[in-house]
Amino acid sequence: MLYILLLAPALLLALYAQWKVRSTYARYAKVRASCGLTAAQVAERLLAHGAVSLGKPELRRVRIEAVPGQLTDHYDPRTKALRLSRPDSTALADIGVAAHEAGHALQDAARYAPLALRSGLVPVAQLGSQLAFPLILGGFFLNAANLILLGILAYTAAVAFTLVTLPVEFNASRRALQLLQQTGLVTHPREVAAVKRVLSAAALTYVAAAAAAVLNLVYYVMVFLSQRR
Ligand SMILES: [Zn+2]
C-alpha cells in the first residue's frame, strides 16, 4: 500500500512524459523545417560548427549513422558515432533530435564532466539495478538487515545514474538550441519554439525516470528501517 502511494505520482509522471514526448514528436514530425536540410545534414553542419567554435577538429570525424526504431537516436561516446532514427527526414522534430545528439558529441569533445561521469556509471548502475531487488527481497525474507542495506547500496548506483543523466540531457538540449541558432539553421521564433517543445518533452521522460528511481530508493530505505525495528 505504502509502495503504491509512494510510487503512484512517479508512475503518473512517467506515463504523462511518455504521452507528451510521443504526441509532441508526432506533431512536429509532420512539420518541414524551413532550412530544407535533412537531420543527418544538420548534424554534420552542427558538428563542423562545433569543431571550429570549440577548437576540436575531431568532431568532424564523428560518424553519422542510421539506427532502426523510433526515437532510438543517440550519441555513442565510445565509438564516436551519432545515430539517427530518421537521418533523411527534413521535419523539425528530427532536426531537433539530431541537434540534441550533436550536443552530446560536443559535450564529449569538450570533456563535459557529467557526461564522463555518466559513462563511467553505466556498468555500475546496470549491475546495481540487477542486484538490488534480489538482495532486498532476500534480506526481507531472511530477516537480514545487512543484506537489505547491501541492496540499497546497489540501488543507489542506479539512482545516481538517473540523476547524473539530468544535467547531461538538459545541457545537450541547451547546446542544440544554441547551435541551431548560431548556424542560422533554425532562427524563426516559431521553429525555435517547436524544437524547444520537442526537446523539453524528451527531457521530461528523464525527469520522470529519476523521480521514480529516487522514490523507489526511499521505499527501500523505509523497508530497511522497518526491518530493523
Ligand atoms: Zn540525450
Side-chain angles (χ1 to χ4, degrees):
M1 188 58 206
L2 173 70
Y3 186 73
I4 297 168
L5 270 178
L6 205 58
L7 269 296
L11 184 69
L12 287 178
L13 181 64
L15 287 172
Y16 171 73
Q18 203 62 248
W19 168 80
K20 185 82 186 158
V21 74
R22 298 251 164 228
S23 61
T24 311
Y25 178 83
R27 178 176 168 193
Y28 293 107
K30 288 193 273 248
V31 182
R32 197 173 177 278
S34 64
C35 70
L37 299 178
T38 67
Q41 286 169 334
V42 166
E44 201 182 330
R45 291 262 185 112
L46 301 188
L47 290 172
H49 179 83
V52 175
S53 66
L54 290 179
K56 300 281 182 188
E58 66 265 33
L59 276 168
R60 290 181 187 278
R61 288 194 297 274
V62 168
R63 281 174 297 120
I64 297 164
E65 301 171 349
V67 65
Q70 207 195 356
L71 292 172
T72 46
D73 310 63
H74 63 277
Y75 169 73
D76 182 353
R78 285 167 306 136
T79 56
K80 313 287 177 210
L82 194 159
R83 304 201 177 97
L84 301 174
S85 60
R86 292 177 65 194
D88 301 323
S89 163
T90 53
L92 266 177
D94 297 300
I95 281 168
V97 170
H100 172 91
E101 302 312 334
H104 282 309
L106 261 73
Q107 290 176 335
D108 187 23
R111 309 248 187 287
Y112 177 66
L115 180 72
L117 183 60
R118 181 170 76 161
S119 303
L121 273 173
V122 170
V124 193
Q126 272 170 354
L127 189 69
S129 58
Q130 275 164 13
L131 288 180
F133 192 65
L135 282 171
I136 289 166
L137 202 66
F140 191 77
F141 282 113
L142 297 171
N143 214 1
N146 286 346
L147 221 52
I148 299 181
L149 193 60
L150 205 62
I152 289 172
L153 281 176
Y155 195 68
T156 304
V159 175
F161 177 79
T162 64
L163 290 178
V164 174
T165 294
L166 297 179
V168 175
E169 294 305 328
F170 283 115
N171 177 271
S173 288
R174 198 157 49 237
R175 285 176 195 256
L177 283 158
Q178 275 172 5
L179 284 166
L180 286 171
Q181 290 175 87
Q182 284 166 358
T183 51
L185 292 177
V186 174
T187 49
H188 192 287
R190 209 186 302 132
E191 292 199 325
V192 174
V195 169
K196 256 187 203 157
R197 268 185 220 122
V198 171
L199 297 182
S200 306
L204 195 60
T205 62
Y206 293 105
V207 173
V214 168
L215 289 174
N216 227 334
L217 181 64
V218 169
Y219 176 74
Y220 287 159
V221 170
M222 289 168 94
V223 168
F224 173 67
L225 293 176
S226 68
Q227 196 73 354
R228 281 180 48 144
R229 247 183 258 126

